[in-house]
Amino acid sequence: MEAREVQGLLDSKLARLEELCRRVLDSRRLIVASNRGPIEFVRRADGSLQPRRGSGGLVTALLSAARFVPITWVAAAMDENDREAAQANDGVIELADMNMRLRLVVVPERTYRRYYYVFANPLLWFVQHYMWNAPWSPIIGRAVHQAWDSGYVPVNRAFARAIAEEASRQGGSPFVIVHDYHLYLVPAEVKALLPEATVLHFTHIPWPAPRYWGLLPRHMRQSIHASLCAADIVGMQTRYDARNFLYACENILPDAIVDHQHFTITYEGHTTYVAHYPVSVDVQGLSELAESAEVERYRRRLAPFLADCTVVRVDRAEPSKNIVRSLRAWEEFLWRYPDFQRRAVLLQFLVPSRTELDVYRNYVDEVFQLTDEINDRFGDEEWQPVRIFYEHNYPQAIAALSLYDVLFVSPIIDGMNLVAKEGPLVNRRNGVLVLSEMAGAHEQLKEAAISICPTDMEGMVQALYQACTMPHEERRRRAEALRRLVQEEDILHWLEAQLRDLWAVAQGQRP
Ligand code: G6P
């Protein structure tokens, strides 16, 4: 797409969103709830706290909407800094420059830890990414039951209370959009406190097949599914996840009436629409960032590491991203195709994540260890076949994404995987996307990517070879197709679809 065409597309999307926001949110407040909020507090040298905007796509999407209507965002006070900021401001921080009101939910630290570090991240995240090695784990002992009773349940209730308070403060019947696996119990609690609210719950991560949910004790899996069935709309990333949700409800809630054709569930007299809204990237913001002086500086810094075939990966340091197996595939590729030794490099950008959890720390250790092995085996003083950049440095990652010949995205399973969309948008070399069939993004991008099965190392080796040797014209054709797909279905498209559906449901119509 020409630059003018891209701008035209964006302008028309913004105009539609503006019209929609003004019409739909004129008399209703939009309340958004997520565990991680739009800002974090960092401490200045003088000891005071300074708010800093988070970088995720969710923040950007909602900021686009906040240009037209005010938004209330309910988020958890995640650490000491957040707690202190909340205390100093009665839990409410007006972000006037963003047209946003942030309400922080503060719970005792112990409660929060049980909710986040025992239940949501190790347990739910693992269930939903099929990450259990089931003959050995998980062992759902007393600590996990306690984390449910005295962590997950009370934190979800605290969120619902905060939402209800915000709604009653502002009057009218709000639209409430609740995000992700941290907050599955919020829809039922909100509906009990605020029956007039229209509630959408959006899950960013995969929805596993119903029998896998059987690894979670019955009262937990039932509460989760029953609560989601209290929402008016349940949003998933892909049609596949939406289907799994229907099957899971059928399996887990014996009284649910599931309509597979129309994607609805009727449970306890209430009908829920199940839809899929593939999350995406902020095309304008990201394109501007990729052209910024800061990213240009990183491009220059990365230049000495580039090779004839530069393969890039950008991953949160997370076992579901399949980093270890993919490094093995890279090792095998170098061994099998020795021509590429000294001519190809893998640049692995690794973002530290959930480092308090042993599994995550051990995983990072394994990644470094294997990298050393590969570099010892094939590298020398002048050439290292793998380089790791272990830091949270978004501009640097964007610079790398603009430079790849091959983007290697191989999660075992992933809700969407935004790297697969960011890369094609900012890449300057008509780079090739090697993409796991198990990433949500595959549903949209498969036509122009090289698909891989994430456990099939042999398949990965062949895909890397095909990508590194692809003729120029085919690279260009595929890269253009990918870019267009991302430009068309961007984050504004994602938000607009949800607001439209909420509006339809609030009018008593089928979305
Ligand atoms: C995934 C989840 C998000 C989460 C993010 C980072 O993308 O879907 O809800 O915020 O990981 O995880 P963290 O625990 O650092 O917020």
Side-chain angles (χ1 to χ4, degrees):
M1 247 191 272
E2 297 287 316
R4 272 232 314 269
E5 210 184 323
V6 176
Q7 192 56 47
L9 188 65
L10 194 71
D11 290 345
S12 70
K13 276 191 193 140
L14 278 171
R16 274 209 313 272
L17 187 64
E18 175 169 11
E19 186 275 324
L20 185 67
C21 286
R22 293 202 195 287
R23 179 159 50 89
V24 168
L25 298 173
D26 181 39
S27 56
R28 295 162 184 273
R29 184 82 182 189
L30 175 60
I31 303 179
V32 175
S34 64
N35 174 61
R36 193 177 282 281
I39 55 167
E40 56 185 357
F41 289 92
V42 284
R43 204 168 284 285
R44 290 202 194 94
D46 66 1
S48 64
L49 290 173
Q50 187 182 14
R52 193 172 65 186
R53 199 195 121 173
S55 56
L58 184 57
V59 182
T60 315
L62 290 164
L63 283 180
S64 318
R67 280 156 65 169
F68 314 123
V69 286
I71 290 178
T72 300
W73 196 318
V74 181
M78 290 182 70
D79 59 16
E80 252 333 288
N81 291 354
D82 285 2
R83 260 189 276 275
E84 196 182 309
Q87 248 152 27
N89 296 283
D90 277 338
V92 174
I93 292 144
E94 295 289 350
L95 303 167
D97 53 331
M98 298 183 181
N99 204 15
M100 238 179 231
R101 174 182 160 96
L102 172 63
R103 165 78 187 260
L104 286 174
V105 175
V106 186
V107 295
E109 191 186 341
R110 203 158 64 144
T111 310
Y112 188 81
R113 294 187 67 81
R114 285 175 173 157
Y115 145 88
Y116 185 80
Y117 286 111
V118 183
F119 202 81
N121 281 323
L123 197 74
L124 282 178
W125 179 274
F126 273 55
V127 167
Q128 296 196 235
H129 289 83
Y130 295 87
M131 270 160 69
W132 293 120
N133 198 357
W136 292 274
S137 58
I139 294 173
I140 299 188
R142 202 158 130 208
V144 178
H145 282 270
Q146 200 175 38
W148 169 264
D149 292 333
S150 334
Y152 197 76
V153 173
V155 171
N156 273 256
R157 284 205 180 122
F159 262 85
R161 273 197 307 275
I163 293 168
E165 279 166 24
E166 287 300 315
S168 59
R169 202 188 134 265
Q170 291 151 9
S173 10
F175 283 160
V176 180
I177 303 185
V178 184
H179 286 273
D180 234 352
Y181 58 101
H182 313 89
L183 302 178
Y184 287 145
L185 305 183
V186 167
E189 298 279 344
V190 165
K191 280 289 195 173
L193 296 169
L194 209 64
E196 67 280 14
T198 311
V199 178
L200 183 154
H201 184 285
F202 182 79
T203 301
H204 291 248
I205 63 178
W207 207 265
R211 299 209 68 194
Y212 203 70
W213 279 104
L215 294 186
L216 211 60
R218 185 188 297 168
H219 68 287
M220 297 178 189
R221 73 184 110 104
Q222 280 189 336
S223 303
I224 288 171
H225 287 81
S227 170
L228 290 175
C229 285
D232 299 285
I233 304 175
V234 164
M236 296 284 161
Q237 296 276 28
T238 66
R239 180 178 290 272
Y240 197 86
D241 297 307
R243 284 231 168 82
N244 271 355
F245 182 69
L246 296 177
Y247 285 121
C249 287
E250 203 163 52
N251 188 283
I252 293 167
L253 304 172
D255 297 331
I257 302 163
V258 177
D259 181 337
H260 290 274
Q261 202 188 343
H262 297 104
F263 282 74
T264 60
I265 301 166
T266 304
Y267 181 66
E268 297 190 336
H270 170 83
T271 296
T272 303
Y273 296 91
V274 182
H276 67 289
Y277 310 99
V279 75
S280 191
V281 296
D282 168 23
V283 167
Q284 185 175 27
L286 194 55
S287 308
E288 282 168 10
L289 176 64
E291 296 309 313
S292 67
E294 188 185 17
V295 169
E296 186 53 44
R297 268 197 303 281
Y298 280 112
R299 261 193 291 271
R300 281 201 296 271
R301 260 187 240 176
L302 292 174
F305 303 124
L306 305 184
D308 287 352
C309 186
T310 303
V311 179
V312 168
R313 296 179 59 93
V314 179
D315 303 288
R316 208 154 48 72
E318 155 73 54
S320 66
K321 302 291 180 189
N322 204 18
I323 304 165
V324 168
R325 198 185 276 108
S326 306
L327 280 170
R328 292 240 175 264
W330 181 245
E331 182 179 26
E332 180 76 13
F333 166 80
L334 292 173
W335 181 76
R336 199 87 68 78
Y337 301 103
D339 273 5
F340 278 104
Q341 289 178 27
R342 310 185 69 85
R343 281 184 48 226
V345 68
L346 172 61
L347 305 181
Q348 169 73 66
F349 295 82
L350 204 55
V351 183
S353 182
R354 303 176 192 164
T355 45
E356 286 210 27
L357 298 174
D358 289 347
V359 193
Y360 284 71
R361 276 200 313 275
N362 296 342
Y363 193 72
V364 171
D365 289 347
E366 207 178 326
V367 168
F368 274 97
Q369 211 177 320
L370 182 54
T371 299
D372 287 345
E373 276 172 35
I374 300 174
N375 284 337
D376 285 347
R377 181 171 169 200
F378 294 107
D380 54 33
E381 270 164 26
E382 280 161 22
W383 177 69
Q384 300 273 284
V386 184
R387 282 192 193 264
I388 298 194
F389 300 77
Y390 183 52
E391 57 191 304
H392 190 110
N393 187 339
Y394 191 62
Q396 176 176 265
I398 295 302
L401 289 176
S402 69
L403 295 170
Y404 67 76
D405 295 292
V406 178
L407 178 61
F408 189 14
V409 182
S410 56
I412 295 165
I413 187 164
D414 213 336
M416 179 52 55
N417 196 298
L418 286 179
V419 173
K421 294 187 171 180
E422 290 165 329
L425 187 70
V426 302
N427 185 259
R428 293 174 164 191
R429 295 179 155 209
N430 290 327
V432 183
L433 173 63
V434 173
L435 180 59
S436 165
E437 291 165 342
M438 299 287 274
H442 190 262
E443 199 168 88
Q444 289 165 290
L445 306 180
K446 57 177 179 274
E447 304 306 338
I450 298 181
S451 305
I452 48 161
C453 161
T455 53
D456 178 9
M457 207 172 75
E458 178 59 24
M460 286 200 257
V461 171
Q462 295 312 325
L464 286 167
Y465 182 75
Q466 187 191 346
C468 284
T469 55
M470 188 176 282
H472 184 74
E473 183 47 33
E474 189 181 347
R475 275 177 67 146
R476 195 189 55 73
R477 189 177 50 72
R478 286 179 185 247
E480 249 169 39
L482 287 169
R483 209 161 28 241
R484 182 178 278 273
L485 287 166
V486 177
Q487 281 160 342
E488 281 169 359
E489 300 203 346
D490 66 348
I491 192 78
L492 296 176
H493 176 88
W494 175 76
L495 181 63
E496 189 192 326
Q498 291 173 71
L499 289 177
R500 273 193 202 289
D501 287 355
L502 275 168
W503 177 240
V505 171
Q507 305 298 311
Q509 294 160 10
R510 180 180 281 280

